[in-house]
Short mmCIF file of all heavy atoms in Angstrom, two decimals:
data_model
loop_
_atom_site.label_atom_id
_atom_site.label_comp_id
_atom_site.label_asym_id
_atom_site.label_seq_id
_atom_site.Cartn_x
_atom_site.Cartn_y
_atom_site.Cartn_z
N MET U 1 -17.74 10.01 9.55
CA MET U 1 -17.10 10.23 8.23
C MET U 1 -15.77 9.47 8.23
O MET U 1 -14.90 9.76 9.03
CB MET U 1 -16.89 11.73 8.04
CG MET U 1 -16.25 12.07 6.73
SD MET U 1 -16.02 13.85 6.48
CE MET U 1 -17.76 14.38 6.33
N GLU U 3 -13.82 9.06 5.34
CA GLU U 3 -12.91 9.64 4.34
C GLU U 3 -13.19 11.10 4.15
O GLU U 3 -14.33 11.58 4.40
CB GLU U 3 -13.05 8.90 3.01
CG GLU U 3 -12.53 7.49 3.01
CD GLU U 3 -12.64 6.87 1.63
OE1 GLU U 3 -13.49 7.28 0.84
OE2 GLU U 3 -11.81 6.01 1.33
N ILE U 15 -4.13 23.88 8.18
CA ILE U 15 -2.77 23.82 7.67
C ILE U 15 -2.59 24.87 6.59
O ILE U 15 -1.52 25.45 6.43
CB ILE U 15 -2.47 22.42 7.17
CG1 ILE U 15 -2.51 21.45 8.37
CG2 ILE U 15 -1.11 22.35 6.49
CD1 ILE U 15 -2.44 20.01 8.07
N LYS U 17 -4.65 28.45 4.84
CA LYS U 17 -5.65 29.45 5.18
C LYS U 17 -6.93 29.29 4.38
O LYS U 17 -8.01 29.52 4.94
CB LYS U 17 -5.02 30.83 4.93
CG LYS U 17 -5.85 31.98 5.46
CD LYS U 17 -5.09 33.29 5.34
CE LYS U 17 -5.92 34.41 5.92
NZ LYS U 17 -5.18 35.67 5.85
N LYS U 27 -1.95 20.61 -6.43
CA LYS U 27 -1.68 20.61 -7.90
C LYS U 27 -0.21 20.84 -8.20
O LYS U 27 0.29 20.32 -9.17
CB LYS U 27 -2.50 21.72 -8.55
CG LYS U 27 -3.99 21.43 -8.61
CD LYS U 27 -4.76 22.60 -9.18
CE LYS U 27 -6.23 22.41 -9.06
NZ LYS U 27 -7.01 23.59 -9.48
N VAL U 31 2.04 18.49 -1.73
CA VAL U 31 1.33 17.64 -0.71
C VAL U 31 1.53 16.18 -1.13
O VAL U 31 1.31 15.84 -2.28
CB VAL U 31 -0.14 18.01 -0.64
CG1 VAL U 31 -0.86 17.11 0.34
CG2 VAL U 31 -0.30 19.47 -0.24
N THR U 36 3.73 9.78 -2.12
CA THR U 36 3.34 10.07 -3.51
C THR U 36 2.56 11.38 -3.53
O THR U 36 1.73 11.61 -2.63
CB THR U 36 2.51 8.95 -4.14
OG1 THR U 36 1.35 8.75 -3.37
CG2 THR U 36 3.31 7.66 -4.22
N VAL U 46 -8.23 7.83 8.14
CA VAL U 46 -7.59 7.91 9.46
C VAL U 46 -6.36 7.02 9.46
O VAL U 46 -6.39 5.90 8.96
CB VAL U 46 -8.57 7.49 10.55
CG1 VAL U 46 -7.88 7.44 11.90
CG2 VAL U 46 -9.75 8.44 10.63
N VAL U 50 0.30 12.64 6.08
CA VAL U 50 0.32 13.67 5.03
C VAL U 50 1.54 14.52 5.23
O VAL U 50 1.84 15.00 6.32
CB VAL U 50 -0.96 14.57 5.15
CG1 VAL U 50 -0.94 15.64 4.10
CG2 VAL U 50 -2.21 13.72 5.01
N LYS U 62 -0.05 13.09 11.01
CA LYS U 62 -0.75 11.85 11.05
C LYS U 62 -2.22 12.15 11.28
O LYS U 62 -2.57 12.83 12.24
CB LYS U 62 -0.21 10.89 12.13
CG LYS U 62 -0.89 9.57 12.16
CD LYS U 62 -0.29 8.66 13.21
CE LYS U 62 -1.00 7.33 13.21
NZ LYS U 62 -0.52 6.48 14.29
N ILE U 67 -12.15 15.25 8.66
CA ILE U 67 -13.18 16.29 8.69
C ILE U 67 -13.16 17.06 7.41
O ILE U 67 -12.12 17.12 6.73
CB ILE U 67 -12.97 17.25 9.90
CG1 ILE U 67 -11.57 17.88 9.81
CG2 ILE U 67 -13.16 16.51 11.22
CD1 ILE U 67 -11.37 19.00 10.82
N ILE U 79 -7.64 16.27 15.70
CA ILE U 79 -7.75 16.12 14.26
C ILE U 79 -6.47 15.48 13.68
O ILE U 79 -6.53 14.60 12.87
CB ILE U 79 -8.00 17.47 13.57
CG1 ILE U 79 -9.19 18.18 14.19
CG2 ILE U 79 -8.12 17.34 12.07
CD1 ILE U 79 -10.48 17.42 14.09
N LEU U 91 16.09 23.24 10.28
CA LEU U 91 16.17 24.00 9.03
C LEU U 91 15.42 25.32 9.12
O LEU U 91 15.89 26.36 8.63
CB LEU U 91 15.59 23.17 7.87
CG LEU U 91 16.43 22.08 7.29
CD1 LEU U 91 15.64 21.26 6.31
CD2 LEU U 91 17.66 22.66 6.59
N MET U 107 11.21 41.14 -3.96
CA MET U 107 11.24 42.49 -3.39
C MET U 107 12.34 43.33 -4.00
O MET U 107 12.55 44.45 -3.59
CB MET U 107 11.43 42.44 -1.85
CG MET U 107 10.25 41.92 -1.11
SD MET U 107 8.86 43.02 -1.18
CE MET U 107 9.49 44.40 -0.30
N PRO U 110 18.57 44.06 -2.43
CA PRO U 110 18.66 44.50 -1.05
C PRO U 110 19.20 45.94 -0.94
O PRO U 110 19.99 46.36 -1.78
CB PRO U 110 19.61 43.49 -0.40
CG PRO U 110 20.31 42.82 -1.51
CD PRO U 110 19.47 42.95 -2.73
N ASP U 134 47.83 47.50 6.43
CA ASP U 134 48.36 46.40 5.70
C ASP U 134 49.90 46.32 5.78
O ASP U 134 50.48 45.28 5.64
CB ASP U 134 47.94 46.45 4.24
CG ASP U 134 46.44 46.25 4.10
OD1 ASP U 134 45.85 45.58 4.99
OD2 ASP U 134 45.88 46.73 3.11
N ASP U 138 58.04 52.37 9.66
CA ASP U 138 58.75 52.99 10.75
C ASP U 138 58.77 54.49 10.51
O ASP U 138 58.59 54.99 9.41
CB ASP U 138 60.19 52.51 10.88
CG ASP U 138 60.23 51.00 11.22
OD1 ASP U 138 59.29 50.56 11.94
OD2 ASP U 138 61.16 50.32 10.73
#
Side-chain angles (χ1 to χ4, degrees):
M1 180 179 293
E3 291 184 331
I15 295 170
K17 190 173 182 178
K27 289 176 188 173
V31 177
T36 59
V46 174
V50 177
K62 182 178 180 185
I67 58 171
I79 307 300
L91 282 173
M107 290 292 294
D134 292 334
D138 296 327

